[in-house]
Amino acid sequence: MKKRNGIKTIYAIIILAIIVVAGLAAYILIQRPAGVTAKPKIAVVSDTGGRGDLSFNDMSFKGAEEAARDLGWDVMELISKSEADYIPNLETAAKDPNTKLIVGVGFLLSEALAEVAVKYPDKYFAGVDTYAQDVVKQKYPDKYPLPNLIDIKFEEHKGSALVGALACLLAVNYDYPHVGMVLGIEIPVLWKFEIGYKWGCNWAIEWYKQKFPDQYASKINNPDNILAQPIKERVLWTYTGTFSDITKGYEAAKAMYAKKAVAVYNVAGPLGLGINQALDEIAKARGLNMGPPFWIGVDADQDWINPGFVIASMMKRVDKGVYYAAYLVQQGKFKDIAVKNNGILLLGIGTKVDGESMEGISVSTLNDLDEFIKMGQAAEQYVGKKVLPMDPEQIRAKVKAMRDSVPQWVWQAVSELEEQIREGKVQVPLPQTESDVKAWREQLG
């Protein structure tokens, strides 16, 4: 009898538990608005370049997609057709109850990010290359640093120094008088690219003078060699005033190649396609299968765009910046990091955040090709036409052949400079004001 009573008691407890769970589930369903799921979202608001730029915007979406995959989130894409779309897009993301992190892509979103982040303190915001916290400091000083907002910044000056060294050593080796650089809108973040590139070129020439004194003495008398040029005339550079007009990139690069630049550095996102067009015309006219001349990619590994002619890319891993921001949200560390670092997440060479390695700057290698070939394949869907120039295996073979054709001492010099930067043995200039830039231009052109 006692056994039967015990069984009845157990059944009663089980039934009661089922009723409680069912009731709780019903309550949750009633309270949850229609169409809302519990899955968190990462929203990305692009700048006006949009998807398919093979650079800045595509890298941001790549980071969001990878974070969503690893964290079990969804991605919301909001493309800005003009600057007037920034605030509406950010607010659309913020009003979605499932959005955890909202990423604004590009310097021009800074004001909008600050305004919306203040308005929605329960959401997390990250800006790529933005100065949103500076806006907060000016407009809402009592809220600075805003704990739900991070500006993701990079040590572009250091990466630009590496490719500046590479470009100038190519000019030394192949007897070209100049290297070039096509920039977008003249904004503070681009000063870091400009001065870093020029400084790296100067470092490389000093390195060559010490390592190969006899060859230096011979080449310095060759008017077609960069060693014979005054310091201020080694680097040709142009601010085009745009990040979207590919024709202006083409025109600027064409003028530089006409003056015998051995390589032109793309510091204007989609304008790299214009640089590529200018170089492609030269290659066809001369019947070249491989450079020189070359161009240098930016942000993403753009070496696959024209295999044999893109010597390397200064990889500014915007994708990793977006990924790290999502990771900090998921780990519950976002606000703490924002407050500790005045709202800045800095990624570079040898950088650490809260004891964890979070690097974001490097020069592309053969090992980087595969994931960025996939970016090219994805871009085909957005631009509605073929993007990859050839089969992936052919791309790898041509890029390898191009790199192998360059003397090993050139690559060794770039590696030495990276190691010196990492160990703090050299300091790449970091211009932050107009007076800083003016002073460096007085020295380097």
Side-chain angles (χ1 to χ4, degrees):
M1 192 70 175
K2 287 183 179 180
K3 186 176 182 180
R4 285 183 179 179
N5 288 338
I7 292 172
K8 287 181 180 179
T9 302
I10 292 171
Y11 283 156
I13 292 171
I14 292 172
I15 291 168
L16 180 61
I18 291 171
I19 291 170
V20 170
V21 171
L24 181 60
Y27 175 79
I28 291 171
L29 287 170
I30 291 169
Q31 294 299 313
R32 183 181 298 160
V36 176
T37 67
K39 202 170 185 181
K41 293 180 184 177
I42 176 171
V44 181
V45 177
S46 80
D47 70 7
T48 54
R51 294 299 301 258
D53 67 350
L54 306 176
S55 182
F56 204 77
N57 284 292
D58 282 350
M59 290 281 278
S60 298
F61 283 105
K62 176 177 179 292
E65 287 158 2
E66 291 174 353
R69 176 199 66 203
D70 292 350
L71 302 178
W73 293 9
D74 282 333
V75 178
M76 177 190 294
E77 297 186 5
L78 295 158
I79 307 300
S80 303
K81 300 295 185 183
S82 69
E83 292 184 25
D85 294 332
Y86 294 160
I87 288 180
N89 281 344
L90 290 169
E91 290 201 325
T92 295
K95 289 174 182 176
D96 187 311
N98 292 334
T99 303
K100 284 288 219 181
L101 173 65
I102 301 156
V103 179
V105 184
F107 181 87
L108 298 176
L109 275 88
S110 300
E111 296 270 355
L113 264 175
E115 181 177 328
V116 179
V118 168
K119 189 174 178 181
Y120 295 90
D122 58 329
K123 301 290 184 178
Y124 296 96
F125 294 82
V128 180
D129 269 358
T130 50
Y131 61 96
Q133 285 284 5
D134 288 339
V135 175
V136 171
K137 190 175 184 180
Q138 293 169 7
K139 292 187 174 181
Y140 317 99
D142 58 317
K143 297 181 182 295
Y144 175 82
L146 200 62
N148 65 322
L149 172 64
I150 279 179
D151 290 307
I152 303 170
K153 298 180 182 291
F154 297 84
E155 294 181 333
E156 300 97 340
H157 56 306
K158 296 180 179 179
S160 295
L162 296 178
V163 293
L166 171 61
C168 275
L169 291 177
L170 291 172
V172 170
N173 182 67
Y174 293 112
D175 290 322
Y176 276 70
H178 302 290
V179 299
M181 175 170 41
V182 173
L183 303 109
I185 300 170
E186 186 167 352
I187 51 179
V189 67
L190 262 61
W191 291 338
K192 296 194 283 182
F193 288 87
E194 176 199 336
I195 301 305
Y197 188 69
K198 294 173 181 177
W199 181 91
C201 177
N202 194 58
W203 178 93
I205 287 176
E206 291 300 316
W207 179 92
Y208 185 80
K209 182 178 181 180
Q210 293 177 16
K211 294 288 184 178
F212 303 103
D214 293 340
Q215 292 91 326
Y216 178 88
S218 174
K219 286 179 176 289
I220 199 171
N221 295 315
N222 179 356
D224 287 331
N225 195 287
I226 197 168
L227 296 178
Q229 308 307 314
I231 292 176
K232 292 185 179 182
E233 296 178 20
R234 292 170 180 165
V235 181
L236 308 174
W237 53 285
T238 299
Y239 279 96
T240 60
T242 177
F243 287 112
S244 58
D245 190 340
I246 292 173
T247 300
K248 289 190 176 181
Y250 164 78
E251 291 169 347
K254 187 174 182 179
M256 293 175 187
Y257 287 126
K259 293 180 180 179
K260 294 193 67 178
V262 72
V264 174
Y265 181 25
N266 171 30
V267 191
L271 271 63
L273 299 178
I275 299 172
N276 185 63
Q277 182 184 347
L279 182 51
D280 211 33
E281 289 179 2
I282 294 170
K284 289 176 180 176
R286 299 180 188 174
L288 301 175
N289 293 315
M290 185 183 301
F294 304 99
W295 65 277
I296 297 169
V298 74
D299 297 340
D301 180 348
Q302 298 181 320
D303 305 4
W304 58 269
I305 293 177
N306 195 347
F309 293 96
V310 187
I311 188 64
S313 298
M314 196 290 281
M315 295 176 64
K316 174 179 170 179
R317 298 302 298 262
V318 171
D319 57 330
K320 290 189 176 182
V322 173
Y323 188 100
Y324 292 145
Y327 170 79
L328 291 175
V329 171
Q330 193 266 345
Q331 292 290 310
K333 295 181 178 181
F334 190 101
K335 290 186 175 181
D336 184 48
I337 294 298
V339 172
K340 282 183 180 178
N341 298 286
N342 289 327
I344 294 174
L345 181 66
L346 180 64
L347 310 179
I349 297 175
T351 49
K352 290 187 176 182
V353 177
D354 200 33
E356 293 189 59
S357 176
M358 290 192 182
E359 297 200 13
I361 293 290
S362 63
V363 175
S364 61
T365 68
L366 281 173
N367 293 333
D368 296 312
L369 264 181
D370 285 346
E371 64 175 310
F372 289 94
I373 286 174
K374 291 177 182 177
M375 179 184 289
Q377 292 171 322
E380 292 177 347
Q381 300 174 18
Y382 299 107
V383 298
K385 60 182 179 180
K386 186 72 174 172
V387 170
L388 289 185
M390 61 191 71
D391 180 85
E393 287 302 321
Q394 291 178 293
I395 292 174
R396 293 185 195 94
K398 285 204 72 173
V399 172
K400 184 178 187 304
M402 173 197 64
R403 285 176 170 262
D404 289 345
S405 72
V406 175
Q408 187 57 38
W409 58 263
V410 173
W411 299 111
Q412 182 58 40
V414 176
S415 294
E416 284 187 26
L417 176 55
E418 180 178 352
E419 195 58 31
Q420 288 183 17
I421 292 172
R422 190 177 295 277
E423 294 177 355
K425 292 181 179 178
V426 296
Q427 296 296 321
V428 182
L430 175 57
Q432 296 179 303
T433 65
E434 288 187 28
S435 59
D436 290 343
V437 174
K438 184 178 180 181
W440 280 108
R441 286 174 181 168
E442 285 295 319
Q443 293 184 48
L444 303 174

